Amino acid sequence: MKMLFISQLFDPEYSIKGLGFLQEMQKQGFEVEVITTFPSYPVGKVFPGYKLKPWQVETHSGIRVIRVYSFISHSKSKFSRALNYFSFMVTSFLAMAVMRKPDVVYAYHPQVTTGIVASIFKVLRGVPFVTDVQDLWPDALAATGTQGKGFLYSMINKLCNFVYKQSDHVVVLSRGYRGALIDRGVPAEKISVVYNWHASEGGADAEGNERVLPSGFEHTFVYAGNLGAAQSLKSVISAFSRCVEKSVCLAIIGSGVEKDELVAHAQSIGANNVFFLGYVSPQKVIKYLTQADVLVVHLKDEPLFKITIPSKIQAYLNSRKPLLMAVGGEANQIVNEARAGVCAEPDNISSIELAIAEMLDKKDAWQEMGESGRCFYETEMSQRKGVVKIVSALRQLQC
């Protein structure tokens, strides 16, 4: 079975369904080709070793990867972001038009724009497609303040519904997403819940023994990920600033459009126990997670995020570390079910502060929490389990 995988996000960027996933699909008998663009996320600049150009072909483990041009910008401008998505829509469709016809298209990230391309391709060439929903648009745009509920919101909503209607199958990352799509009229039998997994779930050796996290504190909490509006980390920083006397610090690893604002906020409130360590490649971040005592997850207090599962949860559970979870809804439920940490309410400084104190009181149980989380990950969220579900869905499209 020939599968064309379309994603604006792909290795060497951190991508859950990236090269590792496609190599597993190869083992299942799929012949895979990829259309993507040049790596730039989350720093907003093309990665070293790459140069933005109209077309580039690579081969990795027998998988042909076609990189096409897209507009790349680190700006918070709505126009720049829209141009980034739209340019990839155009160039990826042109690439599809000159490629050999696949048996199925897997539209990954961002789901709406790749889904539109796959929908048009289906109309023109009759190729079925699966759309993988990692963000519920336009809800996610409203939740992060990117787009208000006006004319453009309505148009994006209609495009999303068009993609759902055209798709032959829909993969979602949570039970909450499945319920939301059913409410939007997507047939339940057309939707599969496939938890995301950690892209490097086997783990990697943390090379060297040198300390990479801040020293001078008894306890080190770590947040690793994007620094954007959805993550809303100001309340987390504020909560940790109240815990200086507990000899606890927060190390923030990552980059994003909100970084400068977060640094300024930390300075303005005197959060001397909060450190910004910058962007660290996915290949090297394991060292930071290994040295952490507790790993932190936070999202903005929005109804949408109560039904989502941030991808860093899988990475954290896989690392055998306890979690401080402040997302609410399904994400908090998972941590409680897995007995993997302590939960707080998002965007609630007092609640997060209390969760920090509770976590410190339970220090003797940290190892047990970490092992329990890893066990939950292996049984419920592993790549092996996810690939089985996706292969099953794709095989059904052949019937």
Side-chain angles (χ1 to χ4, degrees), residues 237-256:
I237 293 170
S238 296
F240 273 91
S241 74
R242 298 179 177 183
C243 300
V244 176
E245 73 282 357
K246 299 181 186 294
S247 192
V248 59
C249 73
L250 172 66
I252 297 177
I253 300 166
S255 183

Side-chain angles (χ1 to χ4, degrees), residues 322-339:
L323 277 65
L324 193 164
M325 176 66 60
V327 175
E330 193 166 347
N332 280 26
Q333 290 170 14
I334 285 174
V335 170
N336 286 328
E337 182 181 347
R339 303 188 307 278

Side-chain angles (χ1 to χ4, degrees), residues 211-264:
R211 180 77 176 174
V212 293
L213 294 179
S215 57
F217 295 86
E218 187 177 353
H219 311 293
T220 303
F221 288 55
V222 167
Y223 170 90
N226 188 42
L227 309 184
Q231 289 71 38
S232 187
L233 291 178
K234 282 186 179 180
S235 55
V236 177
I237 293 170
S238 296
F240 273 91
S241 74
R242 298 179 177 183
C243 300
V244 176
E245 73 282 357
K246 299 181 186 294
S247 192
V248 59
C249 73
L250 172 66
I252 297 177
I253 300 166
S255 183
V257 295
E258 299 287 331
K259 182 180 177 181
D260 292 343
E261 188 174 334
L262 293 173
V263 171

Side-chain angles (χ1 to χ4, degrees), residues 221 240 294-297 322-326 341-344 352 355-356 359:
F221 288 55
F240 273 91
V294 178
L295 303 177
V296 179
V297 188
L323 277 65
L324 193 164
M325 176 66 60
V342 173
C343 295
I352 297 169
I356 296 168
M359 184 64 82

